[in-house]
Amino acid sequence: MGRESKAEDVHVMIPTPADQRKPSDLKLWACFGAAVESGLRRVNRILASSGYIGPHFEWPELTWRKNGLPSITEKFDAPKDYSGALRTSLSPGTPETEAQFENEPAFVALCEYVRKHPRLSHHLGTPDPDQLIDSALKTLIGDTLDRYVHQHKTTDLILQKLEPIYIEIETYLLQTDLPIVLLVPILFLRFEDDLIDIDDRTSIIRMGDGLHLARPPQLRFNYGNHPIVQSAATHAFVRMGYTIPNEARVWNWHLLGAPNAYPIDLIERFFAALRIAAPHPTGYGQLLAMPVGWASGYTGDLVPLYKTSVRNYPPWFENRNWDEPVPTISTQQAKEVSALFTRLSDCEKTKQMSIAIRRLNSSAMRMTHEDELLDVMIALEALLSDSSQEMTHKIAIRTAALYKLHGSLDAVDVLREVKDIYGFRSKIVHGNEVDPDQKVRGKRGVRVTEAATEHLRTVLKMLLEHPRFLDVAEIDSELLLGSHAKDQIG
């Protein structure tokens, strides 16, 4: 905790409980194990005859940049994909009488058992059992034997070593609800601590090497997917305690591949807390779901993980210097993020707070300073206005009043500055030409948009720390008119 981590360190990983389970369907276990053994014998025959087993496609390689951020690229000398043995002829000159894997007695027996099993046939066969069951089982057998060989460095079957791998597949096939952990990598920020607990379900963790290797973005550039940006995260926001209904496998793919299936409001709340606590640009480019105790398939010895690409980060991230230093969130700032996240959760049903958080987050995504400023001012108005009359004066004076609680700037200076910012805003909305680098705050010189964002962050901090001031009448009566004004007016 609190140390500088190096690339070669063993980073914090999400703990998984020791799995002492045994197969629950002994017939399925026997059929599945026999099919894996048949596949391993096929691997041995290919290797013995110098046949070809190709490598894994787009296998990830992890390196570290000078600024401490990971770089996940494609490894060109990828390990063998032993599942290819189920698809490949054994070697040049193999007799035509050599059976395809689909005709191996053990695999045929497995398929017959699954077809007769109501749960398994529905899970693997929806919507077309005749077309899907055999291909799904062949994929599972291939994935399992590939993982087995990579984990145990043998092509001979040892049931005790196969069993833990099989148990995760069986859980996926038979269990009606599947537990998952949600992870959201935090872009272009480092953290002083490896683990920051927020509550019993929520934390920030330093991602271990195994997790980085499991989350590679699509390594070839496509529209809406920037692999360098998606890789640039050392830590992740983590939320535990979720399950997904284990319907047909095609439904699971759809569910875990759709961004709107994730708790976006909660994720946005966390990033709002992060932006309030620290004025550093950040965002997220991936949504990750880690299976807990189950697997729908394997890729070698990589951690099973579902990945969804999103684009919730400042657009200029895609044109930045990848090696430039990035800010570090201190232990104290991380504690503040935790406290703000909890307070935001308590205020999540407050309409003005909901609007302000949405605008704070959207302001960080804008292409221009002008649009960023408009979002920030809408957020301030949502928090501090009670009517459209005398808007500029009300927002300015109430912002200044809240600085009495914060003390970082003189309230009178804040009053003047917010009015100046409103003048800049007025030029934007009326279509007048503005200088995006215009500054306020005298000789110190702070760009208008940065000053406005600073005021919004301060207002949010004060309102979350003193939620009674979400009723702006309380700001007027207590902070502007004095602590006894309310009684005198009443």
Side-chain angles (χ1 to χ4, degrees):
M1 298 289 289
R3 63 181 175 81
E4 182 74 4
S5 294
K6 299 179 181 179
E8 63 267 27
D9 287 348
V10 178
H11 302 316
V12 172
M13 276 287 290
I14 297 174
T16 54
D19 197 341
Q20 302 298 324
R21 294 171 295 170
K22 292 293 181 182
S24 62
D25 187 323
L26 296 181
K27 177 66 173 177
L28 178 62
W29 166 225
C31 291
F32 198 94
V36 171
E37 185 175 26
S38 179
L40 289 171
R41 286 198 298 266
R42 194 175 183 88
V43 170
N44 283 326
R45 293 198 298 274
I46 293 175
L47 297 177
S49 63
S50 300
Y52 177 74
I53 296 179
H56 277 277
F57 179 67
E58 289 194 348
W59 189 263
E61 182 172 41
L62 176 65
T63 57
W64 295 87
R65 298 186 182 278
K66 293 179 181 179
N67 58 9
L69 293 181
S71 175
I72 309 172
T73 54
E74 183 176 353
K75 186 179 179 71
F76 291 102
D77 54 340
K80 289 183 180 295
D81 180 3
Y82 290 98
S83 69
L86 308 188
R87 304 185 297 270
T88 305
S89 60
L90 297 183
S91 65
T94 298
E96 293 183 3
T97 56
E98 177 69 39
Q100 296 295 313
F101 183 73
E102 289 86 339
N103 298 324
E104 293 277 356
F107 183 72
V108 172
L110 173 63
C111 292
E112 289 177 351
Y113 178 72
V114 168
R115 288 180 184 280
K116 295 176 183 178
H117 192 295
R119 164 70 188 178
L120 294 174
S121 60
H122 171 74
H123 188 275
L124 294 177
T126 302
D128 189 347
D130 291 335
Q131 296 294 323
L132 296 177
I133 288 178
D134 289 12
S135 62
L137 287 170
K138 183 178 175 181
T139 298
L140 286 176
I141 296 298
D143 287 356
T144 300
L145 70 84
D146 181 59
R147 188 173 190 83
Y148 176 88
V149 174
H150 285 295
Q151 280 193 344
H152 300 297
K153 313 304 179 188
T154 181
T155 55
D156 297 324
L157 181 65
I158 303 171
L159 285 176
Q160 293 89 338
K161 292 183 177 180
L162 176 65
E163 188 176 83
I165 301 173
Y166 164 80
I167 287 292
E168 293 187 330
I169 296 292
E170 184 191 73
T171 301
Y172 159 69
L173 292 174
L174 297 179
Q175 192 162 294
T176 56
D177 292 290
L178 299 173
I180 58 173
V181 171
L182 302 182
L183 303 98
V184 185
I186 304 165
L187 295 176
F188 290 102
L189 287 180
R190 301 180 69 189
F191 287 74
E192 192 174 355
D193 298 327
D194 288 345
L195 174 65
I196 302 106
D197 287 321
I198 297 177
D199 56 42
D200 57 354
R201 293 182 59 192
T202 314
S203 60
I204 304 168
I205 67 159
R206 179 184 298 278
M207 292 182 285
D209 290 3
L211 190 50
H212 284 304
L213 289 170
R215 71 173 188 95
Q218 190 171 357
L219 295 174
R220 287 166 174 77
F221 283 86
N222 289 293
Y223 179 77
N225 174 61
H226 198 292
I228 300 177
V229 173
Q230 290 185 4
S231 299
T234 61
H235 285 63
F237 170 71
V238 177
R239 182 75 167 184
M240 297 181 286
Y242 290 98
T243 61
I244 61 169
N246 189 18
E247 302 293 343
R249 67 189 183 111
V250 291
W251 168 251
N252 290 344
W253 294 341
H254 173 74
L255 180 65
L256 291 173
N260 59 6
Y262 290 78
I264 297 299
D265 286 348
L266 181 137
I267 294 167
E268 288 292 302
R269 197 182 313 146
F270 166 76
F271 277 90
L274 187 56
R275 290 182 175 114
I276 295 169
H280 306 308
T282 187
Y284 57 101
Q286 286 182 314
L287 301 172
L288 309 176
M290 175 183 286
V292 179
W294 61 276
S296 61
Y298 296 109
T299 302
D301 58 356
L302 299 179
V303 175
L305 197 67
Y306 287 88
K307 301 173 292 184
T308 299
S309 295
V310 290
R311 212 174 184 182
N312 287 78
Y313 52 80
W316 59 268
F317 274 8
E318 298 182 358
N319 299 301
R320 66 181 293 159
N321 178 356
W322 314 117
D323 293 311
E324 69 182 18
V326 295
T328 296
I329 302 298
S330 67
T331 298
Q332 184 57 43
Q333 286 175 315
K335 290 179 179 177
E336 186 175 5
V337 173
S338 299
L340 288 167
F341 177 80
T342 300
R343 290 168 183 162
L344 282 170
S345 300
D346 293 338
C347 295
E348 63 179 333
K349 294 183 180 179
T350 306
K351 184 176 181 181
Q352 64 263 47
M353 185 62 71
S354 176
I355 294 171
I357 292 309
R358 187 169 69 250
R359 289 293 181 169
L360 171 67
N361 286 334
S362 64
S363 71
M365 307 295 117
R366 295 301 188 184
M367 292 286 292
T368 68
H369 296 309
E370 291 89 343
D371 288 339
E372 181 182 351
L373 179 65
L374 293 179
D375 271 333
V376 169
M377 299 312 291
I378 290 171
L380 279 173
E381 290 170 3
L383 293 170
L384 298 179
S385 67
D386 52 3
S387 70
S388 60
Q389 295 178 338
E390 299 179 342
M391 179 74 76
T392 300
H393 180 71
K394 287 180 179 179
I395 302 304
I397 198 168
R398 287 168 179 163
T399 300
L402 288 170
Y403 268 87
K404 293 180 179 180
L405 303 172
H406 194 256
S408 59
L409 293 174
D410 180 77
V412 174
D413 292 337
V414 171
L415 176 65
R416 295 194 187 103
E417 188 167 292
V418 174
K419 288 188 174 183
D420 289 342
I421 293 170
Y422 255 102
F424 191 83
R425 172 191 180 278
S426 180
K427 290 181 180 179
I428 293 173
V429 298
H430 289 96
N432 296 325
E433 186 174 347
V434 295
D435 177 5
D437 293 321
Q438 181 175 326
K439 293 181 173 57
V440 294
R441 208 168 295 174
K443 294 181 180 180
R444 292 173 59 187
V446 178
R447 197 160 46 83
V448 170
T449 303
E450 293 173 355
T453 302
E454 179 184 343
H455 294 318
L456 174 59
R457 290 174 55 243
T458 300
V459 166
L460 283 165
K461 283 182 184 179
M462 295 302 96
L463 293 180
L464 289 169
E465 187 175 338
H466 307 281
R468 68 183 183 279
F469 293 131
L470 284 168
D471 179 357
V472 293
E474 293 293 326
I475 298 176
D476 296 345
S477 62
E478 184 173 334
L479 297 180
L480 294 176
L481 299 178
S483 59
H484 302 296
K486 185 176 180 180
D487 293 335
Q488 295 171 356
I489 293 172

